[in-house]
Amino acid sequence: MKINWKIFFICFFIYFLADKQSLEATLSLPPSSRKQFFTSNGTFIVPAGITTVYVTMISGGGGGGGGCVWDDNTNDSGGGGGGGGNAFIKQPITVSPGTSHAIGIGTGGNGGAGKTGGSGNGDDGGNGGNTTFGSLLTAFGGSTAGGMGILNASSNGGTGAINTQGGISGSAGVGSSASTGREGGDSAFGNGGDGGAGGGSNGVDGSTTSSTAPITNSYGTGGGGGGAGSVSGGDGGDGGAGMILIEW
């Protein structure tokens, strides 16, 4: 079969021009338009002409432990703070134009319940969830939960999440040897949640957020521990949820 080279080159030029215009259209977008932010599960479709994206992400933080109910004023323990989540900052990822990548956002661990009615230990906080960019990058494991308030003993703070792929590890939460719940671990994006006050009849709940400057947001932060009280222990604060920012 004889090839009509004139038609071939015309078709090739049209294809090349269309692809070039698509790439130029993508790259001519203002920097603020060349990014996508996720705080819930979704799908990212790689724009035309893009072969590298830069991913900033963090897993969920651990929940703070619940405060205990104490027998007397001398041997009581607020809950430990949850650990901060694992993060990556502008991690370069090789991609193919037009491909779809599932986005999974790690939830913050639930705060442990404080003990109510009778004497006893509070509950452990829950672990934070994983945050994933398809199968290409994962902020593993969330963070270990904040330790429960323990009668006549010290509670443990949660361990900050550590990722074998690298990235930034979250800070560990702080344990408590007194009635006040302790603060959650910091993440790359904010300070850990405040611990709840204790020492009265009812321990105060821990918080997801911090009152300590600088305050940015609660992405991936550990929840604060609940305070211990003579009637009820405060609940631990929930860990901060994860997020993903994709730029190109």
Side-chain angles (χ1 to χ4, degrees), residues 222-242:
S230 61
V231 176
S232 68
D235 295 337
D238 294 340

Side-chain angles (χ1 to χ4, degrees), residues 23-36 47 50 245-248:
L23 175 59
E24 289 176 343
T26 298
L27 296 180
S28 66
L29 292 171
S32 60
S33 300
R34 298 205 304 268
K35 61 185 177 182
Q36 194 166 354
I50 299 301
L245 173 65
I246 305 168
E247 301 173 278
W248 59 91

Side-chain angles (χ1 to χ4, degrees), residues 21-147:
Q21 288 175 336
S22 177
L23 175 59
E24 289 176 343
T26 298
L27 296 180
S28 66
L29 292 171
S32 60
S33 300
R34 298 205 304 268
K35 61 185 177 182
Q36 194 166 354
F37 185 60
F38 293 87
T39 56
S40 59
N41 296 343
T43 301
F44 174 72
I45 301 175
V46 180
I50 299 301
T51 57
T52 301
V53 295
Y54 300 88
V55 177
T56 296
M57 65 192 300
I58 191 166
S59 63
C68 70
V69 174
W70 38 265
D71 290 323
D72 55 55
N73 255 333
T74 59
N75 296 307
D76 50 291
S77 175
N86 176 247
F88 291 90
I89 308 295
K90 294 186 181 296
Q91 180 78 14
I93 301 292
T94 300
V95 293
S96 298
T99 55
S100 297
H101 300 272
I103 300 298
I105 302 298
T107 57
N110 293 326
K115 184 63 66 173
T116 58
S119 298
N121 302 332
D123 292 340
D124 284 330
N127 292 331
N130 298 347
T131 292
T132 56
F133 178 66
S135 60
L136 301 179
L137 189 65
T138 300
F140 280 111
S143 54
T144 306

Side-chain angles (χ1 to χ4, degrees), residues 58-59 61 187 189-191 193 208-210 215-222 238-242:
I58 191 166
S59 63
S187 77
F189 302 102
N191 299 327
T208 300
T209 57
S210 172
I215 302 169
T216 50
N217 54 61
S218 59
Y219 295 125
T221 55
D238 294 340

Side-chain angles (χ1 to χ4, degrees), residues 148-200:
M148 60 186 177
I150 305 173
L151 189 64
N152 300 327
S154 298
S155 60
N156 296 316
T159 304
I162 300 174
N163 196 330
T164 56
Q165 288 184 294
I168 301 171
S169 298
S171 298
V174 182
S176 179
S177 58
S179 61
T180 300
R182 295 304 300 270
E183 62 270 21
D186 297 342
S187 77
F189 302 102
N191 299 327
D194 293 335

